Amino acid sequence: DAGVTQSPTHLIKTRGQQVTLRCSPKSGHDTVSWYQQALGQGPQFIFQYYEEEERQRGNFPDRFSGHQFPNYSSELNVNALLLGDSALYLCASSLYGRDSNQPQHFGDGTRLSIL
Amino acid sequence: AQKITQTQPGMFVQEKEAVTLDCTYDTSDPSYGLFWYKQPSSGEMIFLIYQGSYDQQNATEGRYSLNFQKARKSANLVISASQLGDSAMYFCAMRERGSYQLIWGAGTKLIIKP
């Protein structure tokens, strides 16, 4: 049973560049959420995708955008990178539903460093 | 205002002892779910246990149990018979009904001593 997979594992970029992170959900899941985790902090919700649409967005600027494909995989794009974007980016998948009892399953994350 | 508060930044516990990690939360929604995750140094976030706001009994999963006190808005994680492999960051998170996001605490770093 394949879990959530993310690529790449590590990435180094410079300020002003653009980056794309990728995520494949756990088999059977149809919903993908993205989180940013700064060093020493808990994750912060960026957005969630279901049926190729953004369903909810956290407090992140428009520089952060995403996409979900028909096979449920997802991309996170960040434009005009800032030093403060350095973080671990976590992708989580789940079954869609408004019930609060659906656990989200996470990948290993992409560690993004901005120089 | 902080919705999830974990007051213990770090804890040292002797191997084989039980440990309690504290979590308090704040919500006005009567329907919500509480989750605990473990994050080893490798970075992966591992789901441990879930407690629903309407659940009558405290959740248990193997060595993990949740001490849920709804009136006090606390959901403490109890790990019985701790093992060296339990050393990790532990996060408490909440999801309110109708919301898709998990709201996270700052985490507790647990170190198990041999």
Side-chain angles (χ1 to χ4, degrees):
Chain A
D1 181 18
V4 179
T5 58
Q6 291 186 243
S7 63
T9 307
H10 294 87
L11 206 49
I12 299 174
K13 292 285 188 179
T14 56
R15 282 179 296 173
Q17 284 189 312
Q18 177 264 343
V19 69
T20 297
L21 311 182
R22 295 176 175 83
C23 172
S24 292
K26 179 182 165 110
S27 177
H29 285 179
D30 54 11
T31 301
V32 173
S33 302
W34 287 92
Y35 292 84
Q36 180 195 67
Q37 186 179 20
L39 197 61
Q41 298 181 21
Q44 297 290 319
F45 175 75
I46 303 175
F47 41 53
Q48 184 182 87
Y49 275 84
Y50 170 68
E51 289 189 330
E52 303 177 48
E53 287 188 13
E54 183 183 291
R55 296 291 170 164
Q56 187 174 353
R57 188 181 184 89
N59 189 26
F60 279 80
D62 292 345
R63 297 187 298 109
F64 290 77
S65 63
H67 190 77
Q68 186 181 33
F69 299 94
N71 66 353
Y72 308 121
S73 67
S74 177
E75 288 181 351
L76 164 65
N77 301 292
V78 187
N79 294 323
L81 287 166
L82 304 173
L83 292 178
D85 295 332
S86 294
L88 178 68
Y89 288 84
L90 294 165
C91 171
S93 73
S94 60
L95 283 172
Y96 181 77
R98 288 190 172 269
D99 293 335
S100 59
N101 65 349
Q102 291 290 331
Q104 295 182 7
H105 296 264
F106 287 78
D108 290 346
T110 294
R111 200 167 293 276
L112 176 63
S113 299
I114 311 301
L115 303 179
Chain B
Q2 288 274 12
K3 286 210 165 192
I4 299 287
T5 302
Q6 296 181 253
T7 58
Q8 306 151 309
M11 288 187 71
F12 286 89
V13 172
Q14 202 68 39
E15 188 181 9
K16 299 180 185 175
E17 288 185 350
V19 57
T20 297
L21 304 180
D22 295 341
C23 173
T24 58
Y25 59 92
D26 183 28
T27 181
S28 57
D29 192 335
S31 179
Y32 52 89
L34 297 157
F35 303 79
W36 276 91
Y37 284 84
K38 170 185 178 182
Q39 187 177 41
S41 56
S42 57
E44 181 187 4
M45 200 69 79
I46 303 167
F47 168 68
L48 296 178
I49 195 167
Y50 164 82
Q51 179 82 46
S53 60
Y54 292 118
D55 292 344
Q56 295 298 311
Q57 293 188 333
N58 288 341
T60 60
E61 287 287 348
R63 293 188 299 114
Y64 304 108
S65 61
L66 211 151
N67 183 3
F68 181 48
Q69 298 186 44
K70 192 171 181 177
R72 298 179 61 182
K73 293 189 175 178
S74 75
N76 298 338
L77 176 70
V78 179
I79 306 174
S80 63
S82 58
Q83 303 170 356
L84 295 178
D86 294 333
S87 294
M89 284 291 292
Y90 288 80
F91 290 94
C92 178
M94 176 177 67
R95 182 182 171 191
E96 295 164 321
R97 186 184 62 175
S99 173
Y100 300 115
Q101 70 169 308
L102 283 173
I103 302 167
W104 299 76
T108 295
K109 184 168 185 175
L110 176 65
I111 297 175
I112 307 299
K113 300 182 293 183

